[in-house]
Amino acid sequence: MNANLLVVEDDPTLRELLAASLRFAGFAVSTTASGAEALQIAASRPPDLVVLDVMLPDLDGFEVLRRLRHGRQDVPVLFLTARDAGEDKVRGLTAGGDDYVTKPFRLEELVARIRAILRRTGGGAREVLVAGDLELDPAARLVIRGGTEISLSPTEFTLLRFLMENADRVLERVRILHHVWRYDFGGDASIVESYISYLRRKVDNREPRLIHTVRGVGYVLRTPR
C-alpha cells in the first residue's frame, strides 16, 4: 500500500521515528512540525491521509482540521496526540477526524488504523456518489441536489456520505453512531436523530424524499426507482 501520508508532529525525535517506521511499513511519508505548513502541503500536494498532532506551536490540530474541512479538503485525518481526555476525543471526531489515537501508542496499532482508514476511503481515489438528483463528491467535498449546491457541516457531510455509500440498506442507529461519531465507548444515539433531521431540512426538502426512517431500527437512503 504505497499511500502518501503527511505526518504533522512538532517533536523532532518522534516525527523522525514515525516517518521511518511508516516508510518501513510501505507508505510514502512527508513531514512537518507546523500546522500552517501542513495546510499549505495539503493544498498543493494532497496526501492520502494526515497523521495530525493536536498540540502544535502555531495552529492546534483541531484548527488545522477545521481549516481543511472549510477548504473542502476531505483528506482523512488521524489524530495522534497526548490529549487523552474524553472531551478532546469527542471534539476531534465530531469535527470530522477519522480516528483518534493517544500517546503512548503501539506502532502496530497505528499502522493498522491507518490501513483501515485508507481501505474505507479508497486511499484518496473516490467516485461521485449519486442517488436520483442528489450528488456527493467526496474529493471536492461538494453536495448538489437538482443542480443546486448545498452547504453541509463536516458531520452532516460524513453522515450523508455514509447513507449514500449504503444506499437502499437499512442502517441501525448504533452503526451510524459508531461510523460517523466513532463512539466506541458508548454514546447518545439521539444525536443521530438530530442530524438526520438537519439533513432532511437541507437535502431532503423536495420530492422524491430519499431519507426514510425504519421504525425501531434506523434509517435508509432509498434511490428513486
Side-chain angles (χ1 to χ4, degrees):
M1 183 182 293
N2 194 27
N4 294 301
L5 308 183
L6 172 60
V7 173
V8 188
E9 169 61 58
D10 66 327
D11 183 311
T13 302
L14 179 56
R15 185 172 64 248
E16 292 309 310
L17 175 62
L18 280 170
S21 300
L22 292 172
R23 288 179 184 125
F24 183 78
F27 300 106
V29 182
S30 56
T31 66
T32 179
S34 161
E37 186 175 0
L39 292 170
Q40 294 174 359
I41 293 172
S44 60
R45 304 189 304 277
D48 295 312
L49 183 142
V50 178
V51 178
L52 180 62
D53 191 9
V54 171
M55 295 181 288
L56 297 170
D58 49 359
L59 305 173
D60 70 28
F62 299 133
E63 176 64 14
V64 172
L65 176 61
R66 189 193 71 79
R67 295 192 188 188
L68 282 172
R69 299 297 183 247
H70 183 72
R72 298 180 181 271
Q73 291 177 275
D74 198 35
V75 56
V77 171
L78 180 149
F79 283 107
L80 181 63
T81 175
R83 296 270 289 269
D84 59 358
E87 56 267 28
D88 288 325
K89 183 175 183 180
V90 171
R91 179 183 177 189
L93 297 178
T94 303
D98 293 84
D99 206 344
Y100 196 102
V101 178
T102 57
K103 303 170 184 174
F105 61 94
R106 293 177 61 246
L107 181 63
E108 296 84 355
E109 179 184 356
L110 177 65
V111 171
R113 287 177 180 250
I114 289 172
R115 286 178 171 153
I117 294 171
L118 292 172
R119 283 195 301 270
R120 188 169 66 244
T121 61
R126 307 179 182 96
E127 297 179 356
V128 175
L129 302 172
V130 179
D133 62 350
L134 175 64
E135 301 178 19
L136 183 148
D137 185 338
R141 202 166 182 80
L142 184 67
V143 174
I144 295 174
R145 184 158 191 195
T148 301
E149 182 177 345
I150 300 169
S151 176
L152 298 180
S153 72
T155 302
E156 291 166 347
F157 186 93
T158 301
L159 174 57
L160 180 62
R161 177 177 176 178
F162 188 49
L163 291 171
M164 294 184 72
E165 288 173 338
N166 293 276
D168 299 312
R169 298 178 186 174
V170 177
L171 300 172
E172 298 86 353
R173 289 179 178 83
V174 172
R175 184 178 176 193
I176 295 172
L177 186 68
H178 176 73
H179 181 90
V180 176
W181 285 270
R182 305 289 179 221
Y183 285 161
D184 55 5
F185 48 85
D188 185 356
S190 65
I191 194 173
V192 178
E193 182 178 349
S194 297
Y195 273 84
I196 288 288
S197 177
Y198 301 156
L199 279 186
R200 282 176 168 153
R201 288 202 296 267
K202 291 185 176 182
V203 175
D204 209 25
N205 55 2
R206 57 186 292 172
E207 296 295 337
R209 305 287 179 170
L210 303 177
I211 302 172
H212 300 267
T213 301
V214 180
R215 290 188 180 278
V217 182
Y219 302 93
V220 58
L221 187 144
R222 300 196 188 280
T223 53
R225 304 300 182 190

